[in-house]
Amino acid sequence: MTPDYTCVSTCEYADALPREQFMDYAIHALWQPAPAIAGPAFTVRCEPGDHLMLHAAIYRASPGDIIVVQADDQYA
């Protein structure tokens, strides 16, 4: 019998966990500049502290879309 796993996004983890149990938002990429990517832009604007539209974009974007988000940098 296989276990029943439930998928939880990293954004949901960030919203549920206390800040000291999640990676600091100021951590940056290991290399600069980051590698170039290309694809259709799927743009999202989130109000401070509210990232519901980012969750919607994750599920609505098509394969190959690049999700570009304007959001409060204090949250995931």
Side-chain angles (χ1 to χ4, degrees):
M1 185 172 180
T2 59
D4 181 27
Y5 294 104
T6 303
C7 293
V8 179
S9 77
T10 55
C11 292
E12 290 167 336
Y13 276 127
D15 290 344
L17 292 173
R19 190 165 291 289
E20 59 274 357
Q21 292 183 351
F22 208 76
M23 186 168 68
D24 191 290
Y25 75 95
I27 293 175
H28 297 284
L30 294 175
W31 62 90
Q32 294 292 336
I37 57 174
F42 191 106
T43 58
V44 180
R45 182 177 182 275
C46 298
E47 294 298 322
D50 180 11
H51 298 101
L52 180 61
M53 291 300 105
L54 177 54
H55 290 268
I58 290 168
Y59 292 102
R60 291 183 179 161
S62 299
D65 286 353
I66 308 298
I67 299 176
V68 181
V69 182
Q70 177 186 350
D72 183 354
D73 66 356
Q74 293 293 314
Y75 298 92

